[in-house]
Amino acid sequence: MDKFDSVTAIALASIVMAVFCMAFGAITPALGEAKAIVQALSAIAQQPDEAATISRTLLIGLAMLESIAIYCFVIAIVLIFANPFWNYIILKHGA
Amino acid sequence: MHLTPDQIVLAQWGFVRISATLVCTWLLMALMTVSACLLTRRLAGPDQPRSRWQNAAEVVVETIRGQIRTVCGAKADTYLAFIGSLFLFITCSSVLEIVPGWHAPTASLSTTAALAISVGVAVPVFGVLSQGLAEYFRHYLRPTFIMLPLHLLSETSRNLALAIRLFGNIMSEALVVGMLVSIAPFFFPVPMQMLALLTGVIQAYVFAVLATVYIAAAVQRGEE
């Protein structure tokens, strides 16, 4: 009974936290990226000659912002597929 | 389901483990080396007619050189070999995803960490080559010596970000395609795989551009 409880609790916490991590980790970088794209588009509209420089800088910036979402994604994946706490508990109780 | 090609073990003797990452990396290296050797075996001079393969190779090299030149000015040829190899390796490993049975080696954190470490070594090497040992390492103490841990932290975290960004993008695409194959295997994996090709090339570009920006920052710091 004890083993069942701890495994279930860890599974529940991992899944819920993975969902929260992915949700907030997707919302905030999306808002930031939208802001960056809007600024870059209006800058290109005002100065079409600088489009190459602006779009390159925009791409680098988007990659930087995107990596925040990717970190959240990696953490969510680790929580679900390769959870270290889970492995520890299962090993300890010899499931 | 396999998260990374590291988990696909093809053979194992004791602690020596041959995983799909290792096999695919060596296959890709062999493919790129052999094709580069075949391409450059008979290069035509400036006035002779060129073969179509040489033309294609020149287009690729000239494009990469132009992109590097927009970031760091006239000295693009110094970094062309390093940045170009990084870009072509990552691009080929993602684009070969269309071959059945291929596992992109960049979907493993070990490969991307190795690529990021090579960038992390190349940045101080190019910096020292351009400004000398003392002058390069003095920038860690600017504006005051209190900034030293922050400089070190920023360099570590940006290399970590380089590795995790590439790994996360490539691995997530492979994972999504794998999930779609198990849920709706008839049509839906195909558009996702096309998106994965696009993402793979964009991530290769981003990785190469970020490496160029880091090198350019280290080199141009001395010229200001």
Side-chain angles (χ1 to χ4, degrees):
Chain A
M1 200 60 204
D2 181 37
K3 179 180 81 179
F4 177 76
D5 280 349
S6 54
V7 170
T8 316
I10 288 178
L12 187 69
S14 307
I15 293 170
V16 170
M17 286 332 279
V19 169
F20 271 106
C21 177
M22 205 56 243
F24 289 105
I27 292 170
T28 37
L31 290 177
E33 284 182 27
K35 214 166 183 173
I37 293 170
V38 166
Q39 286 288 329
L41 280 182
S42 60
I44 290 177
Q46 283 173 2
Q47 290 177 304
D49 296 343
E50 296 296 319
T53 316
I54 294 171
S55 46
R56 194 185 62 240
T57 321
L58 173 71
L59 214 55
I60 297 172
L62 283 189
M64 294 275 196
L65 287 170
E66 189 65 35
S67 61
I68 300 170
I70 293 290
Y71 297 155
C72 292
F73 173 75
V74 169
I75 289 176
I77 286 292
V78 164
L79 278 179
I80 291 178
F81 287 106
N83 196 326
F85 307 111
W86 214 336
N87 294 344
Y88 172 72
I89 286 290
I90 290 175
L91 204 72
K92 197 173 159 191
H93 292 281
Chain B
M1 192 186 331
H2 299 288
L3 271 187
T4 71
D6 283 341
Q7 294 166 343
I8 307 170
V9 179
L10 300 175
Q12 186 159 12
W13 304 281
F15 64 95
V16 183
R17 182 184 295 170
I18 308 291
S19 65
T21 313
L22 208 59
V23 174
C24 288
T25 309
W26 280 95
L27 275 181
L28 183 57
M29 278 171 9
L31 182 75
M32 290 178 67
T33 315
V34 167
S35 54
C37 285
L38 287 180
L39 263 175
T40 52
R41 205 175 40 175
R42 280 194 307 268
L43 283 184
D47 296 330
Q48 295 158 317
R50 280 146 211 216
S51 66
R52 62 182 69 176
W53 290 106
Q54 185 180 349
N55 250 334
E58 281 181 11
V59 166
V60 171
V61 171
E62 276 303 315
T63 312
I64 297 174
R65 181 184 285 163
Q67 288 293 326
I68 300 174
R69 196 168 284 159
T70 56
V71 177
C72 57
K75 290 179 300 184
D77 289 1
T78 324
Y79 322 120
L80 179 65
F82 180 63
I83 306 282
S85 316
L86 280 179
F87 176 72
L88 288 178
F89 181 82
I90 302 172
T91 311
C92 290
S93 83
S94 328
V95 168
L96 279 177
E97 197 84 67
I98 54 172
V99 177
W102 175 262
H103 301 280
T106 42
S108 147
L109 191 56
S110 323
T111 312
T112 58
L115 293 174
I117 288 172
S118 64
V119 173
V121 171
V123 167
V125 166
F126 282 124
V128 166
L129 283 182
S130 79
Q131 332 164 2
L133 201 62
E135 188 56 36
Y136 176 75
F137 283 105
R138 203 169 291 150
H139 95 263
Y140 284 107
L141 303 178
R142 284 188 188 128
T144 59
F145 68 91
I146 306 170
M147 301 300 277
L148 176 66
L150 293 178
H151 277 296
L152 292 176
L153 193 67
S154 106
E155 297 215 341
T156 320
S157 72
R158 80 184 186 191
N159 283 325
L160 197 69
L162 213 54
I164 294 188
R165 178 182 307 121
L166 186 59
F167 161 70
N169 274 292
I170 307 291
M171 183 268 287
S172 68
E173 293 294 342
L175 196 67
V176 167
V177 170
M179 280 178 176
L180 279 179
V181 165
S182 64
I183 297 170
F186 180 55
F187 173 72
F188 291 100
V190 178
M192 209 58 216
Q193 243 167 346
M194 297 197 302
L195 188 67
L197 289 181
L198 181 70
T199 318
V201 176
I202 289 182
Q203 286 306 316
Y205 174 75
V206 164
F207 193 96
V209 167
L210 283 178
T212 320
V213 167
Y214 296 156
I215 292 173
V219 169
Q220 285 163 359
R221 212 180 276 128
E223 296 166 0
E224 284 161 3

